Amino acid sequence: MKKMLTIIICLIIIVIISVIGICIWMYNEEQENKRIDAEAVTLKENLTIEFGKEAKVSDFLEKLNGELINDYKIDTEKLGEIQVSFDFINIKNKKRTATFNIKTTDVTAPKIFSGASYTVKKGSNKNLTEVLISGDDIDDNPKREIVGEYDFNTVGDYKLTYVVTDSSGNQAKKDFTLHVIEEQTTPQPPPTEKEPIYFNDILDNYKNEKTKIGIDVSKWQGEIDWEKVKNAGAEFAIIRMGYQTDYDGENVVDPYFLANIEWAKRVGLPVGIYYYSYAKNIKQAREQAEWVKEQIKQYEIDLPIAFDWESWNSFNKAGMSFYTINKAANIFLDVLAENGYKGMLYSSKSYLEKIWYPTEHQTWLAHYTSQTNYQGEYSLWQMCDTGRIDGINTNVDVDIMYLKE
């Protein structure tokens, strides 16, 4: 009995010693793992990046003792602090997760597009901060101020400064002269009409094996004889499907859309469409794309669908940054692309260069000249708005499509 008790006590001691040993080993292993993990990731000293600039996880790692599992692209389209988490395999072949914070910054000053002078009639009630066009890359509503004294009720010239400041403190200034003039009572001569450009001449000058020549139309062209249009040499048509009546206005189908698309298709012309938008934000642009999709679902659309936003004289009123308007356009085009349509951004040369970012969608360039000097990529060129073609009784926009090789 005494011998048995001794054996039991020995076993208990052995078990206790073993447990203590295991605990010590586990503790040491845990500390070693913590040390390994603590030394696994060394971050770069500078963890700031400009808003919207492309960056991956590895761009912020000075050293990694292990293997990065997914070197993903970080979303930097949010101003301020952003938390970044990533998984990696450490040197002991264990999966680990690390987290760090980066900060996106805005270092770009707003842009002012107004000229060196602005003229109003005596008694005007215009808000200069609304009519003098300006904008910021990120801030939807930068602070706009007119520095200096002026009086709309007193004729004269006023030296002023237009100041625009974004939420990050970046500032743009432009000196200009405000001219307050008397109401003109003498009749003014009517504006000189531009000379028409005949479709046959455009065919002679621009038609070749790499181009197609077509037109784009809306209700402003009235009733169209599409048989005559095709016989005159038109090879395609871009038709306005609809438009928004104003900011926050309703969507309206162009009153000639149904007749235009049905007759253009009937005579065998490839057809694309465009929508004229006053979208003020991404949500509205998405809703407009969904609306357009519903209006055209019974038609076969051969060519791209264009997003047309061009209310630049009231851009300040829209309350959008350059980022927001570009995002809105891409959302509109992305929604249609997801439903099997090709998308296209429409804009004049000036605003393609000033405001629009390069896009993965096609570009429809508007530049009324005999030879454009626009340096960006485009697949369609609206080269005039004074075209004349048999079958249409008014001026019409004429477009040149460039075929892929």
Side-chain angles (χ1 to χ4, degrees):
M1 185 70 182
K2 193 172 183 180
K3 184 177 179 181
M4 179 63 70
L5 183 60
T6 301
I7 293 173
I8 291 173
I9 292 172
C10 290
L11 289 173
I12 291 173
I13 293 171
I14 291 171
V15 169
I16 292 172
I17 293 172
S18 298
V19 170
I20 293 173
I22 291 171
C23 289
I24 293 172
W25 177 85
M26 291 178 64
Y27 174 79
N28 290 336
E29 185 71 11
E30 181 181 0
Q31 294 305 306
E32 176 66 8
N33 287 335
K34 286 182 178 179
R35 184 189 65 79
I36 290 172
D37 291 342
E39 296 176 353
V41 179
T42 303
L43 298 175
K44 289 186 176 179
E45 186 174 338
N46 183 10
L47 297 179
T48 61
I49 187 171
E50 290 183 33
F51 176 94
K53 187 174 181 180
E54 287 193 5
K56 298 186 295 184
V57 173
S58 60
D59 293 331
F60 298 96
L61 303 181
E62 185 69 37
K63 185 177 69 172
L64 177 64
N65 292 333
E67 180 183 350
L68 189 60
I69 293 177
N70 181 17
D71 190 15
Y72 65 89
K73 181 180 176 182
I74 300 171
D75 181 7
T76 60
E77 295 184 346
K78 173 187 170 187
L79 197 59
E81 194 165 84
I82 298 174
Q83 187 178 84
V84 179
S85 294
F86 66 96
D87 295 328
F88 66 98
I89 303 297
N90 69 13
I91 59 175
K92 298 190 81 172
N93 205 34
K94 300 292 185 180
K95 183 178 177 181
R96 293 290 186 261
T97 299
T99 301
F100 63 93
N101 292 330
I102 65 171
K103 185 177 181 181
T104 57
T105 61
D106 176 14
V107 297
T108 304
K111 292 181 180 179
I112 296 174
F113 301 119
S114 59
S117 66
Y118 189 77
T119 302
V120 299
K121 294 176 182 177
K122 181 181 176 181
S124 171
N125 61 357
K126 289 183 177 180
N127 184 337
L128 291 179
T129 61
E130 289 185 357
V131 298
L132 299 177
I133 304 173
S134 63
D136 187 60
D137 58 332
I138 301 171
D139 192 348
D140 288 331
N141 292 288
K143 183 179 180 182
R144 297 177 169 100
E145 305 172 272
I146 304 297
V147 178
E149 299 295 327
Y150 61 96
D151 183 0
F152 280 155
N153 295 312
T154 303
V155 173
D157 298 331
Y158 301 88
K159 301 293 185 181
L160 306 172
T161 302
Y162 187 26
V163 182
V164 184
T165 310
D166 68 21
S167 58
S168 296
N170 303 303
Q171 192 174 83
K173 295 182 180 182
K174 187 175 184 69
D175 295 329
F176 71 100
T177 301
L178 173 67
H179 304 287
V180 179
I181 62 173
E182 291 282 4
E183 181 82 33
Q184 293 179 343
T185 56
T186 56
Q188 298 298 307
T192 304
E193 290 190 8
K194 293 188 290 186
E195 287 292 322
I197 302 175
Y198 294 96
F199 198 82
N200 282 339
D201 293 333
I202 296 174
L203 287 174
D204 290 340
N205 292 322
Y206 298 96
K207 174 61 184 169
N208 56 54
E209 68 278 2
K210 296 181 180 179
T211 63
K212 286 187 176 182
I213 314 298
I215 59 174
D216 64 269
V217 300
S218 67
K219 70 176 184 179
W220 306 114
Q221 278 66 52
E223 292 186 8
I224 297 174
D225 187 329
W226 284 97
E227 192 75 50
K228 289 183 177 180
V229 167
K230 185 179 181 184
N231 290 338
E235 298 176 282
F236 65 89
I238 310 292
I239 300 169
R240 186 171 75 166
M241 185 257 112
Y243 57 95
Q244 188 179 9
T245 54
D246 202 342
Y247 294 119
D248 298 316
E250 62 181 341
N251 296 318
V252 177
V253 175
D254 186 292
Y256 285 85
F257 170 66
L258 295 179
N260 282 337
I261 193 169
E262 289 177 4
W263 276 102
K265 298 287 287 183
R266 190 174 299 180
V267 301
L269 285 177
V271 167
I273 66 171
Y274 74 94
Y275 171 81
Y276 189 100
S277 173
Y278 282 93
K280 292 167 58 177
N281 52 55
I282 294 167
K283 179 176 179 290
Q284 287 184 2
R286 185 186 298 278
E287 291 170 350
Q288 289 168 6
E290 295 287 352
W291 180 79
V292 168
K293 182 186 69 174
E294 286 302 306
Q295 309 309 311
I296 63 173
K297 60 185 179 182
Q298 69 268 44
Y299 299 106
E300 183 178 350
I301 308 299
D302 314 286
L303 304 175
I305 299 173
F307 180 78
D308 179 7
W309 200 107
E310 51 182 291
S311 302
W312 303 110
N313 288 335
S314 57
F315 181 72
N316 298 15
K317 178 182 174 182
M320 286 194 288
S321 65
F322 306 144
Y323 166 81
T324 299
I325 193 172
N326 276 273
K327 194 76 171 178
N330 280 318
I331 286 293
F332 180 95
L333 299 174
D334 288 345
V335 168
L336 293 169
E338 289 165 5
N339 288 274
Y341 300 102
K342 294 178 182 177
M344 181 164 58
L345 174 67
Y346 171 87
S347 181
S348 67
K349 172 181 180 288
S350 175
Y351 291 102
L352 283 170
E353 294 171 337
K354 291 177 180 177
I355 292 178
W356 294 111
Y357 303 157
T359 174
E360 63 182 21
H361 300 284
Q362 296 182 45
T363 296
W364 180 7
L365 165 69
H367 189 198
Y368 302 154
T369 179
S370 59
Q371 184 62 52
T372 181
N373 58 357
Y374 177 62
Q375 298 299 305
E377 293 186 3
Y378 57 96
S379 57
L380 199 65
W381 171 30
Q382 186 184 78
M383 55 87 62
C384 76
D385 62 350
T386 55
R388 299 307 299 261
I389 188 171
D390 193 22
I392 298 178
N393 295 324
T394 66
N395 286 345
V396 65
D397 302 334
V398 180
D399 305 277
I400 300 173
M401 180 188 298
Y402 294 91
L403 305 177
K404 292 183 179 180
E405 303 207 4

